[in-house]
Amino acid sequence: MKKFKSIILSLFTLILCFTSLQYVHAEETYTISLRNDSLHTYNVYQIFTGESATKNGQPILANIKWGSNAKLDSTHVLKRNVGIDIENKFSEMQKITNESDRRNAVLEYVDLQSTPQTVKKNASIQVEAGYYLIQDTTQLSNSADAKSASILAIVNQDLQIDPKICTPTIETFVFDNEDNTWGKSADHAINETFQIKTSIQFPDDIDMDAYNHYYLQVNSEWNKGLTLEEEAYVQTTQKGTQVATTGRPNSTLYDWSDGPNQAQLTWNDLKVELKKMQGGKVEIVWNAHLNENAPTTNVSINNMSTSTFKSTISFSNDPDKTYDKAPEDCVSKIQSNTVNMFSYEIQNVSYANEIKKENLLSGIGFKLYAQDGVTEIPMYLHNGNYYPIGCMEDWWEDTEALGPNELLADKSTASFLIKGLDVGTYYLKETTTPNGYNTLDPIRLEIRAAHALNQSAVNVELHEVFNGAEGNVNNIISRSGITLPNTGGIGTALFYACGSLLIVCAALMYRKNHTSN
């Protein structure tokens, strides 16, 4: 009997254990995890709990109760039903289409000072069925990154967070007047006006519209060989809008003659102009020219030297903030590519008869002509180098400073350097010929350059043609005059002397014979 009672008692204990085990697991939990390639961290706030179900294929909650991260007070009590008024308010929130407005409406019921659960790479969490606010809390500190917008979700199955990192992209281009194209490098003569464009494109993602305000600052810098004349235009364009809204933000232009020049344009709130951020664009176009300080690429020895321009953007990186002016910890930075501007120089060396160091020929002079061979390109001399007059800013106001248009070979090096040229064909015509040398036929110079349009690095295929042949150094060879066969030399004088002597002798013999007779 005792054995029977022991068996009954054991069975009863097992039943109680089984029942207790079923009770523990009766409330099902779900996993919230993060995609493994993400380095972001998310806080998960439980606003409501409840019984999960589906309606018309959509997840719903029934018997909704206040969650552990709700704003609790005397009426909002943890695990107590929320009541019909709150349910109606949340039903009305579903009709809000603007992402930031919907998020702000829900935030009224979330205690962000309470302790949330945290999800990050390889660290998932278990949660009850409920309604959750999921916020990106990654520390960015001026990295080229942004936080994803808050997620509002009913969790009634396992959820993997799929971050949407909505960062803008920035590209800078320079216009090549010869090719009529925008690219990453271009050729220009010194003082020739051209345009530089910085383009900022925002992702075509609805999360961009989760920002209440959007801070944007564009910082551009360039080396001292480049002069920015003015902003040609600044425009913001909404997705699908053909007519752009033109505006000019607060801007400051700095001109440092001994260092990088800088320009700064700031929108404290871009959404004043670009109300729909999704797929929008900002473009800044500058008028610019190369100045006398511009480094020049020597085509005679095929070296590369350029003027440069680049931009950096600082932008809002947290759509959950409601600031009017972004604090530093809510701003990220991205730098654009660098564009390169080329201007060219040609080194010309003059020799007598053949290329030898001892045959350097100075004193020879030329003038430069355009491609038609007729239009002269006036020149001026500056620091020992020759420039087309067009390279001198406001040259027409100081014509006396121009000096001679003639390009004279230096006395010691027998060379002359022409700087500030664009690609194209030119002609050198000799205007001063050293005594005893023949005047040269016009010399044809051609500079050709092929640019990779979408390549940021300096990569230009450069060719020079000198009098029909490609070469590395422009050697000008002048031929001296030569002695030709001629008559009227010393033989003729001797002939005349002998003739005169014979005439005198004949006269004397005639006189002697006449006397004898």
Side-chain angles (χ1 to χ4, degrees), residues 25-69:
H25 288 278
E27 189 171 3
E28 190 174 1
T29 62
Y30 305 98
T31 300
I32 298 180
S33 60
L34 181 62
R35 204 176 58 201
N36 285 336
D37 61 346
S38 177
L39 299 178
H40 284 230
T41 300
Y42 291 82
N43 282 346
V44 179
Y45 296 88
Q46 185 190 68
I47 306 172
F48 301 132
T49 63
E51 298 171 2
S52 66
T54 58
K55 181 178 181 180
N56 299 324
Q58 298 296 320
I60 62 171
L61 285 178
N63 293 319
I64 301 174
K65 299 178 177 61
W66 290 106
S68 57
N69 299 112

Short mmCIF file of all heavy atoms in Angstrom, two decimals, residues 25-69:
data_model
loop_
_atom_site.label_atom_id
_atom_site.label_comp_id
_atom_site.label_asym_id
_atom_site.label_seq_id
_atom_site.Cartn_x
_atom_site.Cartn_y
_atom_site.Cartn_z
N HIS A 25 6.41 28.48 -20.10
CA HIS A 25 6.59 28.72 -21.52
C HIS A 25 5.30 29.07 -22.24
O HIS A 25 5.27 29.19 -23.45
CB HIS A 25 7.20 27.45 -22.18
CG HIS A 25 8.64 27.26 -21.81
ND1 HIS A 25 9.66 27.92 -22.41
CD2 HIS A 25 9.17 26.48 -20.84
CE1 HIS A 25 10.82 27.54 -21.87
NE2 HIS A 25 10.55 26.66 -20.91
N ALA A 26 4.23 29.23 -21.44
CA ALA A 26 2.97 29.55 -22.09
C ALA A 26 3.03 30.92 -22.74
O ALA A 26 2.39 31.17 -23.76
CB ALA A 26 1.85 29.52 -21.06
N GLU A 27 3.82 31.87 -22.15
CA GLU A 27 3.95 33.22 -22.71
C GLU A 27 5.13 33.18 -23.68
O GLU A 27 6.29 33.20 -23.29
CB GLU A 27 4.19 34.24 -21.61
CG GLU A 27 4.11 35.66 -22.12
CD GLU A 27 4.13 36.67 -20.98
OE1 GLU A 27 4.26 36.24 -19.83
OE2 GLU A 27 4.02 37.85 -21.27
N GLU A 28 4.82 33.14 -24.97
CA GLU A 28 5.85 32.97 -25.99
C GLU A 28 6.68 34.24 -26.14
O GLU A 28 6.17 35.35 -25.99
CB GLU A 28 5.21 32.62 -27.33
CG GLU A 28 6.21 32.19 -28.38
CD GLU A 28 5.53 31.69 -29.65
OE1 GLU A 28 4.29 31.71 -29.68
OE2 GLU A 28 6.25 31.31 -30.57
N THR A 29 7.99 34.09 -26.44
CA THR A 29 8.89 35.23 -26.69
C THR A 29 9.42 35.16 -28.11
O THR A 29 9.41 34.10 -28.75
CB THR A 29 10.07 35.23 -25.70
OG1 THR A 29 10.83 34.03 -25.88
CG2 THR A 29 9.57 35.34 -24.26
N TYR A 30 9.92 36.32 -28.55
CA TYR A 30 10.43 36.44 -29.92
C TYR A 30 11.83 37.05 -29.88
O TYR A 30 12.20 37.78 -28.95
CB TYR A 30 9.50 37.31 -30.76
CG TYR A 30 8.08 36.82 -30.76
CD1 TYR A 30 7.13 37.40 -29.91
CD2 TYR A 30 7.68 35.76 -31.57
CE1 TYR A 30 5.83 36.95 -29.87
CE2 TYR A 30 6.37 35.30 -31.55
CZ TYR A 30 5.45 35.89 -30.70
OH TYR A 30 4.16 35.43 -30.67
N THR A 31 12.59 36.78 -30.92
CA THR A 31 13.98 37.25 -31.00
C THR A 31 14.05 38.52 -31.86
O THR A 31 13.53 38.55 -32.97
CB THR A 31 14.89 36.18 -31.62
OG1 THR A 31 14.85 35.00 -30.82
CG2 THR A 31 16.33 36.68 -31.72
N ILE A 32 14.70 39.54 -31.32
CA ILE A 32 15.05 40.73 -32.11
C ILE A 32 16.56 40.72 -32.28
O ILE A 32 17.31 40.70 -31.30
CB ILE A 32 14.60 42.04 -31.43
CG1 ILE A 32 13.08 42.07 -31.28
CG2 ILE A 32 15.07 43.24 -32.24
CD1 ILE A 32 12.56 43.34 -30.61
N SER A 33 17.00 40.71 -33.53
CA SER A 33 18.43 40.62 -33.83
C SER A 33 18.80 41.69 -34.85
O SER A 33 17.94 42.36 -35.42
CB SER A 33 18.79 39.23 -34.35
OG SER A 33 18.07 38.95 -35.54
N LEU A 34 20.10 41.81 -35.07
CA LEU A 34 20.62 42.80 -35.99
C LEU A 34 21.39 42.10 -37.10
O LEU A 34 22.08 41.10 -36.85
CB LEU A 34 21.55 43.78 -35.25
CG LEU A 34 22.17 44.91 -36.06
CD1 LEU A 34 21.10 45.84 -36.62
CD2 LEU A 34 23.13 45.71 -35.18
N ARG A 35 21.26 42.61 -38.29
CA ARG A 35 22.00 42.04 -39.42
C ARG A 35 23.49 42.05 -39.08
O ARG A 35 24.03 43.02 -38.57
CB ARG A 35 21.75 42.90 -40.66
CG ARG A 35 21.94 42.19 -41.97
CD ARG A 35 21.57 43.11 -43.10
NE ARG A 35 22.38 44.33 -43.07
CZ ARG A 35 22.03 45.47 -43.65
NH1 ARG A 35 20.89 45.57 -44.28
NH2 ARG A 35 22.83 46.52 -43.60
N ASN A 36 24.17 40.93 -39.38
CA ASN A 36 25.54 40.74 -38.90
C ASN A 36 26.55 41.70 -39.51
O ASN A 36 27.65 41.86 -38.98
CB ASN A 36 25.99 39.30 -39.16
CG ASN A 36 25.36 38.32 -38.19
OD1 ASN A 36 24.96 38.71 -37.10
ND2 ASN A 36 25.26 37.07 -38.59
N ASP A 37 26.22 42.34 -40.64
CA ASP A 37 27.20 43.24 -41.25
C ASP A 37 27.05 44.67 -40.75
O ASP A 37 27.73 45.58 -41.22
CB ASP A 37 27.08 43.22 -42.77
CG ASP A 37 25.71 43.68 -43.26
OD1 ASP A 37 24.80 43.76 -42.43
OD2 ASP A 37 25.56 43.96 -44.46
N SER A 38 26.18 44.89 -39.78
CA SER A 38 25.96 46.23 -39.25
C SER A 38 26.78 46.43 -37.98
O SER A 38 26.85 45.57 -37.12
CB SER A 38 24.48 46.47 -38.95
OG SER A 38 24.31 47.74 -38.36
N LEU A 39 27.37 47.61 -37.86
CA LEU A 39 28.15 47.95 -36.67
C LEU A 39 27.40 48.91 -35.77
O LEU A 39 27.98 49.48 -34.85
CB LEU A 39 29.50 48.57 -37.09
CG LEU A 39 30.40 47.67 -37.94
CD1 LEU A 39 31.67 48.41 -38.31
CD2 LEU A 39 30.74 46.39 -37.18
N HIS A 40 26.12 49.10 -36.02
CA HIS A 40 25.32 50.03 -35.23
C HIS A 40 24.75 49.34 -33.99
O HIS A 40 24.71 48.11 -33.90
CB HIS A 40 24.20 50.61 -36.08
CG HIS A 40 24.68 51.67 -37.03
ND1 HIS A 40 24.10 52.90 -37.14
CD2 HIS A 40 25.73 51.67 -37.90
CE1 HIS A 40 24.74 53.62 -38.04
NE2 HIS A 40 25.73 52.89 -38.52
N THR A 41 24.29 50.16 -33.04
CA THR A 41 23.68 49.68 -31.80
C THR A 41 22.28 50.29 -31.68
O THR A 41 22.08 51.47 -32.00
CB THR A 41 24.52 50.09 -30.59
OG1 THR A 41 25.83 49.52 -30.71
CG2 THR A 41 23.88 49.60 -29.30
N TYR A 42 21.32 49.48 -31.22
CA TYR A 42 19.93 49.93 -31.13
C TYR A 42 19.38 49.71 -29.73
O TYR A 42 19.62 48.67 -29.11
CB TYR A 42 19.06 49.17 -32.15
CG TYR A 42 19.37 49.54 -33.58
CD1 TYR A 42 20.44 48.96 -34.25
CD2 TYR A 42 18.59 50.47 -34.26
CE1 TYR A 42 20.75 49.31 -35.55
CE2 TYR A 42 18.88 50.82 -35.57
CZ TYR A 42 19.97 50.25 -36.21
OH TYR A 42 20.26 50.60 -37.50
N ASN A 43 18.63 50.70 -29.25
CA ASN A 43 17.86 50.56 -28.01
C ASN A 43 16.43 50.16 -28.37
O ASN A 43 15.83 50.71 -29.29
CB ASN A 43 17.84 51.87 -27.23
CG ASN A 43 19.13 52.11 -26.48
OD1 ASN A 43 19.95 51.20 -26.33
ND2 ASN A 43 19.33 53.33 -26.01
N VAL A 44 15.89 49.19 -27.61
CA VAL A 44 14.54 48.68 -27.85
C VAL A 44 13.67 49.03 -26.65
O VAL A 44 13.93 48.58 -25.52
CB VAL A 44 14.57 47.15 -28.08
CG1 VAL A 44 13.16 46.63 -28.30
CG2 VAL A 44 15.47 46.80 -29.26
N TYR A 45 12.66 49.88 -26.89
CA TYR A 45 11.74 50.32 -25.84
C TYR A 45 10.38 49.64 -26.01
O TYR A 45 9.78 49.70 -27.07
CB TYR A 45 11.54 51.84 -25.90
CG TYR A 45 12.80 52.65 -25.65
CD1 TYR A 45 13.66 52.97 -26.70
CD2 TYR A 45 13.12 53.07 -24.37
CE1 TYR A 45 14.81 53.72 -26.47
CE2 TYR A 45 14.26 53.82 -24.12
CZ TYR A 45 15.10 54.14 -25.18
OH TYR A 45 16.24 54.88 -24.96
N GLN A 46 9.92 48.98 -24.92
CA GLN A 46 8.62 48.33 -24.95
C GLN A 46 7.55 49.33 -24.51
O GLN A 46 7.51 49.76 -23.36
CB GLN A 46 8.61 47.12 -24.01
CG GLN A 46 7.33 46.32 -24.07
CD GLN A 46 7.26 45.29 -22.95
OE1 GLN A 46 7.15 45.66 -21.78
NE2 GLN A 46 7.33 44.02 -23.31
N ILE A 47 6.67 49.69 -25.46
CA ILE A 47 5.59 50.64 -25.14
C ILE A 47 4.36 49.89 -24.64
O ILE A 47 3.78 50.23 -23.61
CB ILE A 47 5.24 51.48 -26.38
CG1 ILE A 47 6.48 52.16 -26.95
CG2 ILE A 47 4.19 52.54 -26.03
CD1 ILE A 47 6.24 52.85 -28.28
N PHE A 48 3.97 48.84 -25.38
CA PHE A 48 2.82 48.02 -24.99
C PHE A 48 3.21 46.55 -25.04
O PHE A 48 4.13 46.15 -25.77
CB PHE A 48 1.64 48.21 -25.96
CG PHE A 48 1.15 49.63 -26.08
CD1 PHE A 48 0.94 50.19 -27.32
CD2 PHE A 48 0.84 50.38 -24.95
CE1 PHE A 48 0.47 51.49 -27.45
CE2 PHE A 48 0.37 51.67 -25.06
CZ PHE A 48 0.19 52.24 -26.32
N THR A 49 2.50 45.76 -24.26
CA THR A 49 2.49 44.32 -24.46
C THR A 49 1.05 43.93 -24.78
O THR A 49 0.14 44.75 -24.69
CB THR A 49 2.97 43.56 -23.21
OG1 THR A 49 2.06 43.82 -22.14
CG2 THR A 49 4.37 43.99 -22.82
N GLY A 50 0.86 42.66 -25.17
CA GLY A 50 -0.48 42.22 -25.51
C GLY A 50 -0.47 40.84 -26.12
O GLY A 50 0.56 40.15 -26.13
N GLU A 51 -1.63 40.46 -26.62
CA GLU A 51 -1.77 39.16 -27.27
C GLU A 51 -1.66 39.38 -28.78
O GLU A 51 -2.38 40.21 -29.35
CB GLU A 51 -3.10 38.53 -26.91
CG GLU A 51 -3.25 38.27 -25.41
CD GLU A 51 -4.67 37.84 -25.06
OE1 GLU A 51 -5.51 37.73 -25.99
OE2 GLU A 51 -4.94 37.65 -23.86
N SER A 52 -0.74 38.66 -29.41
CA SER A 52 -0.50 38.86 -30.84
C SER A 52 -1.53 38.10 -31.67
O SER A 52 -1.99 37.01 -31.30
CB SER A 52 0.90 38.39 -31.21
OG SER A 52 1.02 37.00 -31.03
N ALA A 53 -1.87 38.71 -32.79
CA ALA A 53 -2.79 38.08 -33.74
C ALA A 53 -2.56 38.76 -35.09
O ALA A 53 -1.71 39.65 -35.23
CB ALA A 53 -4.23 38.24 -33.28
N THR A 54 -3.29 38.33 -36.10
CA THR A 54 -3.22 38.96 -37.41
C THR A 54 -4.63 39.29 -37.88
O THR A 54 -5.59 38.61 -37.54
CB THR A 54 -2.54 38.05 -38.45
OG1 THR A 54 -3.26 36.81 -38.53
CG2 THR A 54 -1.09 37.79 -38.10
N LYS A 55 -4.71 40.38 -38.67
CA LYS A 55 -5.99 40.79 -39.23
C LYS A 55 -5.72 41.28 -40.65
O LYS A 55 -4.96 42.23 -40.84
CB LYS A 55 -6.62 41.90 -38.38
CG LYS A 55 -7.98 42.36 -38.89
CD LYS A 55 -8.56 43.43 -37.97
CE LYS A 55 -9.92 43.88 -38.46
NZ LYS A 55 -10.49 44.93 -37.57
N ASN A 56 -6.36 40.62 -41.61
CA ASN A 56 -6.12 40.94 -43.03
C ASN A 56 -4.63 40.88 -43.38
O ASN A 56 -4.10 41.71 -44.13
CB ASN A 56 -6.68 42.31 -43.37
CG ASN A 56 -8.17 42.41 -43.17
OD1 ASN A 56 -8.91 41.44 -43.42
ND2 ASN A 56 -8.64 43.58 -42.72
N GLY A 57 -3.95 39.91 -42.78
CA GLY A 57 -2.53 39.72 -43.06
C GLY A 57 -1.61 40.68 -42.32
O GLY A 57 -0.38 40.61 -42.47
N GLN A 58 -2.17 41.60 -41.49
CA GLN A 58 -1.36 42.56 -40.76
C GLN A 58 -1.31 42.16 -39.28
O GLN A 58 -2.29 41.70 -38.72
CB GLN A 58 -1.96 43.96 -40.90
CG GLN A 58 -2.00 44.49 -42.32
CD GLN A 58 -0.60 44.68 -42.87
OE1 GLN A 58 0.31 45.12 -42.17
NE2 GLN A 58 -0.42 44.33 -44.14
N PRO A 59 -0.14 42.36 -38.62
CA PRO A 59 -0.05 42.02 -37.19
C PRO A 59 -0.85 43.01 -36.35
O PRO A 59 -0.87 44.21 -36.62
CB PRO A 59 1.45 42.16 -36.90
CG PRO A 59 1.96 43.12 -37.93
CD PRO A 59 1.15 42.86 -39.16
N ILE A 60 -1.55 42.50 -35.37
CA ILE A 60 -2.32 43.34 -34.45
C ILE A 60 -2.06 42.87 -33.02
O ILE A 60 -1.55 41.76 -32.80
CB ILE A 60 -3.83 43.32 -34.74
CG1 ILE A 60 -4.37 41.89 -34.56
CG2 ILE A 60 -4.13 43.86 -36.12
CD1 ILE A 60 -5.89 41.82 -34.63
N LEU A 61 -2.41 43.72 -32.05
CA LEU A 61 -2.34 43.36 -30.64
C LEU A 61 -3.74 43.44 -30.04
O LEU A 61 -4.51 44.36 -30.35
CB LEU A 61 -1.41 44.31 -29.87
CG LEU A 61 0.10 44.16 -30.06
CD1 LEU A 61 0.83 45.23 -29.25
CD2 LEU A 61 0.57 42.77 -29.66
N ALA A 62 -4.04 42.47 -29.20
CA ALA A 62 -5.30 42.48 -28.46
C ALA A 62 -4.99 42.50 -26.97
O ALA A 62 -3.89 42.12 -26.55
CB ALA A 62 -6.14 41.26 -28.83
N ASN A 63 -5.98 42.95 -26.17
CA ASN A 63 -5.77 43.06 -24.73
C ASN A 63 -4.47 43.81 -24.42
O ASN A 63 -3.58 43.33 -23.71
CB ASN A 63 -5.77 41.68 -24.06
CG ASN A 63 -7.12 41.01 -24.14
OD1 ASN A 63 -8.15 41.67 -23.95
ND2 ASN A 63 -7.14 39.73 -24.44
N ILE A 64 -4.35 45.01 -24.98
CA ILE A 64 -3.12 45.79 -24.90
C ILE A 64 -2.91 46.30 -23.48
O ILE A 64 -3.82 46.88 -22.87
CB ILE A 64 -3.16 46.96 -25.89
CG1 ILE A 64 -3.35 46.44 -27.32
CG2 ILE A 64 -1.89 47.79 -25.81
CD1 ILE A 64 -3.54 47.55 -28.34
N LYS A 65 -1.66 46.13 -22.98
CA LYS A 65 -1.27 46.58 -21.64
C LYS A 65 -0.04 47.47 -21.75
O LYS A 65 0.71 47.41 -22.71
CB LYS A 65 -0.97 45.37 -20.75
CG LYS A 65 -2.15 44.44 -20.55
CD LYS A 65 -1.75 43.24 -19.70
CE LYS A 65 -2.95 42.33 -19.44
NZ LYS A 65 -3.54 41.78 -20.68
N TRP A 66 0.16 48.33 -20.74
CA TRP A 66 1.32 49.21 -20.73
C TRP A 66 2.60 48.39 -20.57
O TRP A 66 2.67 47.47 -19.75
CB TRP A 66 1.22 50.22 -19.59
CG TRP A 66 0.15 51.25 -19.81
CD1 TRP A 66 -1.07 51.34 -19.20
CD2 TRP A 66 0.20 52.32 -20.76
NE1 TRP A 66 -1.79 52.38 -19.68
CE2 TRP A 66 -1.04 53.03 -20.64
CE3 TRP A 66 1.14 52.78 -21.68
CZ2 TRP A 66 -1.34 54.14 -21.42
CZ3 TRP A 66 0.85 53.89 -22.45
CH2 TRP A 66 -0.37 54.56 -22.32
N GLY A 67 3.63 48.80 -21.37
CA GLY A 67 4.90 48.07 -21.34
C GLY A 67 5.89 48.67 -20.36
O GLY A 67 5.65 49.70 -19.73
N SER A 68 7.03 48.03 -20.28
CA SER A 68 8.04 48.39 -19.27
C SER A 68 8.72 49.72 -19.55
O SER A 68 9.35 50.28 -18.65
CB SER A 68 9.10 47.28 -19.18
OG SER A 68 9.70 47.07 -20.45
N ASN A 69 8.64 50.24 -20.77
CA ASN A 69 9.30 51.53 -21.09
C ASN A 69 8.28 52.61 -21.44
O ASN A 69 8.65 53.65 -22.03
CB ASN A 69 10.27 51.37 -22.26
CG ASN A 69 11.38 50.39 -21.97
OD1 ASN A 69 11.45 49.31 -22.57
ND2 ASN A 69 12.25 50.74 -21.02
#
